[in-house]
Amino acid sequence: MSRLYDTVEPSVVDEEMLQKAVEEQGPQDQVAGRIAKEEGIQFIEVFQLRLDYRNILKIDHLWQFTNLTKLQLDNNIVEKIEGLGLLVNLKWLDLSFNNIEVIEGLDSLVLLEDLSLFNNRISVIQNMDTLVNLHVLSLGNNFLTQLDNVIYLRKFKNMRTLNLSGNPICKEDRYKFFIAAYLSDLAYLDFRLLDEQTKEEAYGKYQYLVEEMRHQEIQKLKALDVKKIQEDELQIHMTAFVEHLNGPYLFDSMYAEDPEANKLGHLPGVGLLLDSYPYLLVALCKQVFEIGLAQMERREAEVTSFYECAKEAVANNRQRAAEVAATFEQHRRQRTSEMHLITDLRLLEGMLSQCNEEIIQICDTLMTIELQLVDQLEDIMKDFERNISEMVASFIEVVQGIFAQGRDLENHHHEKLLEIAVATLEKVAKNELEEDMPDDVRMLFIDKDTVINAVSASHDTHLLKIDNREDELVTRINIWMGALMKSIQGEEVKRNRKRISEIHNYIDYVRDQLEEMQNQEQH
């Protein structure tokens, strides 16, 4: 079932082999073949490649074939699927008649439609989750022993042709009906048509198992959909810098990292105190959340407006420059035609001198137009930076005010809790406490300092959580604003440099044309 290489020299895919293969498969007629050989064929321009019957042991050096759609690596001695990661446009892959033991290295081949792994050493169908476009799969003549493993292929909804012939699983009596039942969309199995009668009989045999599996798959898909919706919502909330502020997350985190809270919660009256505190704090968090989403929409609208305005300014400027260049080109071509008819050298030199002056003038004109755009975009960017800064500053001010209310709420809760703790301490001292308390709680009431320290430590933990969440929001939105302005300024620098380069290239071209004509006239 595999090819041996103890009698042949194994080889590795290298540049020399690839170049030879490309030349062999290139144009065969004399003219086209000669041109291809002289000028060479760029690997990126190759769409189909045959590397069969070359004793290849290791796949390598294929990274330049990014536009490859068909690759033949059959009848070699390949042991490991590797080196295919950048062949993202591959639709047809033949790895049959090799020594492959594990299906792997195919994750990035998401466009793959036809895959042949016929006649290898594969024992498990696996690691193909990303191949959602797979239509044809050949795994015949391998070592597949577990029929249940075929259920893995249910995820490939586009698969119509499957070949498993020559595997140990084919010897099972239930083989054909099992596959027809679990892979109901399959049209061909082992080179034979799966007719409706076979499918109906198969469904009858495995109806309850298949229906149960379908139900589980539907439930799994629903769960994935819910998870996706939650992830998308979380991403929006993170973009607004208010994630987890639409519920009790902040309050819960305050108490989750407060070792004293559970102890203090046993004090008489604390339960009633905790009935209102979380409700009020969550209400403040939700205020921040709603304001954050609304402010995010305002910021996004401002960013969109800026880019549209900048795009319009660039388009208008380019149109103006194009009109100037077109007028100059028309005039230049007319002058060139006139100069070809002039026989008087003095007159010709005068016109050439005038043409050089006109080239300098058009260069200055185009540069001036570009400079005007730079000034215009700078004004637009300044206005945008001012607007977005005011939005961010206003949002931060409002948010800080709400977080201050949260701290006031925590301070009020702390005062009430301290009153309860001191009152409980007095009752314990007088042995008047009627409520039962766990031993670790009673240990707090050894003396006044111990109980006050416990209450203060809890209070500090809560305030730190509130402060950290406020600081996180403020820091992140300021980082976002700084990164946005840096990105905008960087894009403008690139645009300006590119435009200046275009102008210089055009001027160089015009000057070269003029010099070429001048040389011709001199000769």
Side-chain angles (χ1 to χ4, degrees):
M1 295 180 69
S2 57
R3 301 191 68 217
L4 302 176
Y5 55 90
D6 53 354
T7 58
V8 295
E9 183 69 26
S11 59
V12 177
V13 177
D14 56 20
E15 292 286 337
E16 183 180 352
M17 178 189 292
L18 292 172
Q19 191 63 50
K20 183 179 179 182
V22 169
E23 289 176 1
E24 289 175 354
Q25 298 158 46
Q28 297 302 312
D29 60 274
Q30 287 187 338
V31 177
R34 178 175 54 78
I35 294 173
K37 194 166 185 180
E38 289 175 357
E39 297 184 358
I41 300 175
Q42 297 297 316
F43 290 168
I44 197 173
E45 298 173 354
V46 177
F47 296 98
Q48 299 185 14
L49 183 63
R50 289 185 56 184
L51 295 172
D52 50 341
Y53 295 98
R54 296 174 189 266
N55 297 321
I56 295 171
L57 176 63
K58 180 179 175 62
I59 306 170
D60 204 353
H61 290 92
L62 291 174
W63 58 271
Q64 296 182 68
F65 292 84
T66 52
N67 287 317
L68 206 63
T69 59
K70 182 176 181 179
L71 175 61
Q72 289 180 244
L73 281 162
D74 57 286
N75 290 280
N76 287 292
I77 49 176
V78 175
E79 295 182 342
K80 181 180 177 65
I81 305 174
E82 59 186 337
L84 305 177
L86 295 178
L87 308 187
V88 294
N89 290 302
L90 210 58
K91 292 187 176 182
W92 195 95
L93 176 61
D94 189 353
L95 285 163
S96 59
F97 295 95
N98 280 286
N99 298 328
I100 298 165
E101 296 184 358
V102 178
I103 302 175
E104 59 186 337
L106 302 172
D107 292 349
S108 63
L109 310 185
V110 296
L111 299 181
L112 200 63
E113 297 177 359
D114 192 315
L115 173 62
S116 178
L117 291 164
F118 187 83
N119 211 96
N120 279 280
R121 300 176 176 180
I122 297 166
S123 58
V124 180
I125 305 173
Q126 61 182 347
N127 300 329
M128 298 192 298
D129 293 21
T130 60
L131 309 185
V132 294
N133 290 299
L134 205 59
H135 292 176
V136 179
L137 176 61
S138 178
L139 282 166
N141 279 23
N142 276 282
F143 298 156
L144 301 175
T145 59
Q146 300 296 321
L147 189 55
D148 287 350
N149 187 205
V150 176
I151 295 175
Y152 174 84
L153 299 175
R154 281 178 61 82
K155 64 186 66 182
F156 304 110
K157 304 303 181 183
N158 296 314
M159 186 185 294
R160 296 294 179 267
T161 302
L162 175 64
N163 175 30
L164 297 172
S165 61
N167 281 284
I169 58 174
C170 299
K171 297 178 182 179
E172 295 195 32
D173 294 338
R174 59 183 182 137
Y175 167 72
K176 184 177 180 180
F177 290 116
F178 183 91
I179 292 178
Y182 280 98
L183 305 181
S184 57
D185 293 327
L186 212 58
Y188 295 92
L189 174 63
D190 301 341
F191 310 108
R192 292 186 178 182
L193 178 69
L194 280 176
D195 55 51
E196 290 303 319
Q197 182 178 349
T198 302
K199 289 184 177 182
E200 289 175 6
E201 189 175 348
Y203 180 71
K205 290 177 178 291
Y206 294 93
Q207 177 179 357
Y208 296 108
L209 293 173
V210 171
E211 289 299 329
E212 176 62 23
M213 184 167 290
R214 282 178 181 168
H215 176 71
Q216 293 174 0
E217 289 170 348
I218 290 171
Q219 294 303 114
K220 186 177 180 180
L221 286 174
K222 287 181 178 178
L224 289 173
D225 289 341
V226 170
K227 184 180 178 181
K228 179 67 166 57
I229 291 171
Q230 291 173 343
E231 289 175 349
D232 291 344
E233 286 182 347
L234 178 60
Q235 187 57 54
I236 293 172
H237 300 167
M238 291 179 70
T239 304
F241 311 107
V242 292
E243 70 276 8
H244 306 309
L245 289 176
N246 56 334
Y249 181 85
L250 178 59
F251 179 84
D252 292 344
S253 68
M254 287 162 51
Y255 278 80
E257 299 182 20
D258 181 3
E260 305 297 338
N262 287 332
K263 299 176 185 177
L264 296 171
H266 288 87
L267 303 186
V270 172
L272 186 62
L273 190 63
L274 286 173
D275 284 343
S276 59
Y277 181 33
Y279 172 79
L280 295 172
L281 186 63
V282 169
L284 291 175
C285 289
K286 287 183 176 180
Q287 281 188 43
V288 176
F289 179 79
E290 296 297 336
I291 293 170
L293 291 182
Q295 288 295 313
M296 177 192 68
E297 291 180 359
R298 286 189 61 204
R299 291 193 300 272
E300 288 180 344
E302 183 66 26
V303 171
T304 301
S305 176
F306 161 75
Y307 278 114
E308 288 176 352
C309 187
K311 184 178 179 181
E312 183 180 356
V314 171
N316 291 339
N317 185 273
R318 295 281 289 195
Q319 178 64 29
R320 182 181 164 202
E323 291 172 357
V324 170
T327 301
F328 171 77
E329 272 295 304
Q330 184 178 2
H331 177 71
R332 184 180 71 84
R333 288 170 183 167
Q334 185 178 350
R335 278 294 182 90
T336 302
S337 299
E338 292 174 357
M339 284 189 288
H340 278 303
L341 300 175
I342 296 175
T343 56
D344 188 327
L345 290 179
R346 284 189 178 180
L347 182 58
L348 183 60
E349 288 178 0
M351 292 190 72
L352 288 170
S353 177
Q354 188 175 354
C355 286
N356 277 316
E357 291 178 4
E358 289 171 352
I359 291 173
I360 294 172
Q361 289 176 2
I362 188 64
C363 181
D364 290 343
T365 301
L366 292 175
M367 286 296 186
T368 299
I369 293 173
E370 170 59 20
L371 185 59
Q372 290 171 350
L373 176 60
V374 170
D375 291 340
Q376 183 181 3
L377 290 176
E378 186 176 351
D379 291 339
I380 293 173
M381 284 190 287
K382 284 181 180 179
D383 289 341
F384 170 72
E385 186 173 13
R386 182 178 61 254
N387 293 341
I388 207 75
S389 296
E390 288 176 356
M391 285 183 183
V392 169
S394 175
F395 175 51
I396 289 175
E397 184 179 356
V398 172
V399 164
Q400 288 178 329
I402 297 173
F403 274 106
Q405 294 179 49
R407 280 187 285 273
D408 290 342
L409 192 62
E410 167 58 29
N411 289 333
H412 176 73
H413 173 77
H414 168 66
E415 291 171 2
K416 294 294 183 182
L417 182 60
L418 190 58
E419 290 176 5
I420 292 173
V422 171
T424 304
L425 178 64
E426 292 175 355
K427 288 183 180 180
V428 170
K430 296 177 182 178
N431 202 23
E432 296 176 354
L433 188 66
E434 298 177 359
E435 294 83 354
D436 290 333
M437 290 189 298
D439 293 340
D440 59 339
V441 178
R442 283 191 173 274
M443 291 297 294
L444 296 176
F445 297 94
I446 295 175
D447 54 47
K448 189 174 182 179
D449 287 343
T450 302
V451 70
I452 289 177
N453 287 340
V455 174
S456 297
S458 177
H459 179 51
D460 291 343
T461 300
H462 297 174
L463 286 179
L464 183 62
K465 275 291 179 182
I466 295 172
D467 291 345
N468 287 346
R469 187 60 183 91
E470 178 185 351
D471 292 343
E472 180 191 349
L473 189 154
V474 173
T475 300
R476 281 172 51 204
I477 195 170
N478 281 323
I479 290 173
W480 168 82
M481 183 173 64
L484 175 64
M485 293 310 306
K486 184 178 180 179
S487 173
I488 289 172
Q489 291 161 0
E491 289 172 4
E492 167 53 16
V493 169
K494 288 180 182 178
R495 186 211 63 78
N496 175 243
R497 288 175 178 172
K498 182 181 178 183
R499 182 56 179 157
I500 290 174
S501 178
E502 289 173 352
I503 293 172
H504 284 312
N505 289 339
Y506 173 64
I507 297 302
D508 290 343
Y509 164 76
V510 173
R511 282 178 174 153
D512 289 343
Q513 291 284 306
L514 189 61
E515 288 178 8
E516 185 178 342
M517 190 190 70
Q518 188 175 0
N519 292 334
Q520 289 175 355
E521 293 298 333
Q522 288 176 352
H523 289 86

